[in-house]
Amino acid sequence: MGKSTATKQAVVVFGALAFGWLAIELAFKPFLDKFRAAIDKSDPTRDPDDVVPPADSDADADAGADAGSPQIAHQ
């Protein structure tokens, strides 16, 4: 009799877990679809931590330093 009760309990627990998973999937379906589509479109070979600076970064830094200072014409 004890084995039958354990089996029934396992089936009930499994059913509750399946029902909970299904409820979460249905409740968050729009968000999960967007998330899964973004994952499918992503490039697995690109690492966002490996950022390569542009080749002319020194020229941009020099130009940016004078951008906020006023220009005074000397005569």
Side-chain angles (χ1 to χ4, degrees):
M1 181 104 178
K3 187 174 184 178
S4 164
T5 305
T7 305
K8 286 180 186 177
Q9 185 178 5
V11 169
V12 168
V13 168
F14 181 75
L17 289 173
F19 180 76
W21 174 76
L22 182 62
I24 289 172
E25 283 283 328
L26 289 175
F28 295 108
K29 185 172 178 55
F31 302 110
L32 291 173
D33 287 344
K34 287 180 187 178
F35 178 71
R36 290 176 180 145
I39 288 176
D40 290 341
K41 286 192 275 184
S42 69
D43 183 12
T45 60
R46 182 182 163 272
D47 186 5
D49 293 333
D50 295 339
V51 177
V52 179
D56 58 340
S57 63
D58 292 335
D60 291 340
D62 292 339
D66 293 332
S69 60
Q71 298 293 327
I72 300 173
H74 295 281
Q75 295 178 353

